[in-house]
Amino acid sequence: MNVLLTGASGFIGRNLAAALVSAGHCVTPASRSKGFDFCRMLSPGDWSPHLRGIDVVINSVGIIGETGRQRFKALHELAPSALFRACAEAGVRRVLQISALGADESAFSAYHLSKRAADDTLRGLDLDWFVLRPSLIYGLGGKSAGLFMRLAKLPMIPVIGNGQQMIQPVHISDVIATLMQCLSSPEPRQTLDIVGTETISFAEWLQTMRRAQGLPRAPILRFPFRLAMLLTGLGRHFSPMLRAENLRMLQTGVWADFRPLIRFLGRPPLTIKTSLFFTNAN
């Protein structure tokens, strides 16, 4: 199949492109490095020329924090929604949207709300769509995983409050396997949460990352939520993830039922192993 893959240079996009090519598909990568300016591609007509000969569209564009012209509204909502409408007009029926866990009726952050807006647009079109909502993704080459691995190496592990915010990490290979399954699934029009079977506290997750790096358990350095929010004024200059809204999302915590994913894949997602922090999807 001929696949248009947006966000092809990102963590998910890179791994997915490799899997698609390995499976014999022809990938047309769409990213800033390929000359696609999503901030300007806000109408179906902007996308139509790029859909000629395309069988499947996969949108994996995503940012965790706004910088310069890279805004949630344009990248997560307006550009993808225009792309989805262009697919409906061009007859490209199978469309995969990579959203995020928490982009549902409980969403409160600009990140999740912008993702959900595009999800809703796609679900309202007469297409064979999938909306996929991954949890925290780990594996070799991931930006968030890389940041957490660096935090885990500190002499004291920094956490918000007591560090008991619960997460369901999922390995990049399970995300890619789900996407590949969506290409041929006879049951489209699904919204599917991609989550691991294990629920773990954020503090214990960082301890697991220490163990993966051959380090012993470390003391916990607890930051009250209000103090952590104040420190984001400095932290945001080091990483887009260290922003106030991202801390609010982490503090709230999001988890989901993993059984629909097991039914879809025909197997459970991978259990957490320290070796998986250093592997990708291939």
Side-chain angles (χ1 to χ4, degrees), residues 3-82:
V3 181
L4 177 70
L5 173 61
T6 68
S9 60
F11 181 42
I12 296 177
R14 294 193 308 271
N15 281 274
L16 180 56
L20 288 166
V21 171
S22 179
H25 301 294
C26 181
V27 178
T28 299
S31 62
R32 279 181 291 171
S33 62
K34 298 296 182 180
F36 285 78
D37 186 352
F38 298 112
C39 298
R40 297 181 181 275
M41 303 181 74
L42 306 181
S43 70
D46 296 323
W47 289 100
S48 297
H50 304 287
L51 296 178
R52 298 189 184 104
I54 295 297
D55 303 303
V56 178
V57 165
I58 305 174
N59 177 45
S60 68
V61 170
I63 56 172
I64 194 62
E66 295 182 322
T67 57
R69 292 177 59 244
Q70 305 297 300
R71 317 300 291 180
F72 292 135
K73 182 76 172 179
L75 297 182
H76 289 176
E77 178 183 351
L78 299 180
S81 295

Side-chain angles (χ1 to χ4, degrees), residues 11 15 137-142 145 149 169-174 198 205 208-209 211-213 267 269-282:
F11 181 42
N15 281 274
I137 304 172
Y138 69 99
L140 184 64
M149 288 286 267
V170 62
H171 191 257
I172 181 63
S173 62
D174 286 321
E198 299 165 273
W205 181 239
T208 303
M209 287 185 158
R211 189 165 70 251
Q213 297 175 89
R267 64 166 177 81
L270 299 175
T271 56
I272 297 171
K273 296 179 181 177
T274 54
S275 60
L276 291 177
F277 290 108
F278 307 104
T279 63
N280 55 28
N282 305 302

Side-chain angles (χ1 to χ4, degrees), residues 17 19 78 101 149 218 222 230 246 250 278:
L78 299 180
L101 190 66
M149 288 286 267
R222 296 175 173 85
L230 289 174
N246 293 334
L250 177 61
F278 307 104

Side-chain angles (χ1 to χ4, degrees), residues 135-207:
S135 177
L136 178 66
I137 304 172
Y138 69 99
L140 184 64
K143 286 186 178 180
S144 62
L147 172 63
F148 294 145
M149 288 286 267
R150 292 192 295 274
L151 290 177
K153 290 178 69 175
L154 295 174
M156 298 184 73
I157 293 180
V159 299
I160 302 172
N162 60 11
Q164 294 305 299
Q165 301 85 2
M166 305 307 290
I167 55 176
Q168 286 175 282
V170 62
H171 191 257
I172 181 63
S173 62
D174 286 321
V175 178
I176 301 306
T178 305
L179 285 158
M180 296 298 290
Q181 183 86 349
C182 289
L183 294 178
S184 58
S185 172
E187 299 180 347
R189 302 196 175 194
Q190 292 192 51
T191 298
L192 191 62
D193 293 324
I194 308 178
V195 297
T197 58
E198 299 165 273
T199 301
I200 185 172
S201 71
F202 182 67
E204 193 58 34
W205 181 239
L206 293 181
Q207 295 283 15

Side-chain angles (χ1 to χ4, degrees), residues 200-264:
I200 185 172
S201 71
F202 182 67
E204 193 58 34
W205 181 239
L206 293 181
Q207 295 283 15
T208 303
M209 287 185 158
R210 279 186 68 83
R211 189 165 70 251
Q213 297 175 89
L215 299 171
R217 293 180 69 86
I220 298 296
L221 177 61
R222 296 175 173 85
F223 284 91
F225 182 68
R226 289 186 178 180
L227 176 59
M229 291 291 285
L230 289 174
L231 292 176
T232 58
L234 176 63
R236 65 188 178 86
H237 297 294
F238 295 93
S239 170
M241 292 191 63
L242 299 176
R243 294 172 180 267
E245 192 167 68
N246 293 334
L247 291 192
R248 291 191 189 97
M249 290 190 289
L250 177 61
Q251 178 73 355
T252 302
V254 181
W255 56 91
D257 186 355
F258 53 76
R259 289 173 295 184
L261 179 63
I262 292 177
R263 287 194 293 269
F264 186 76

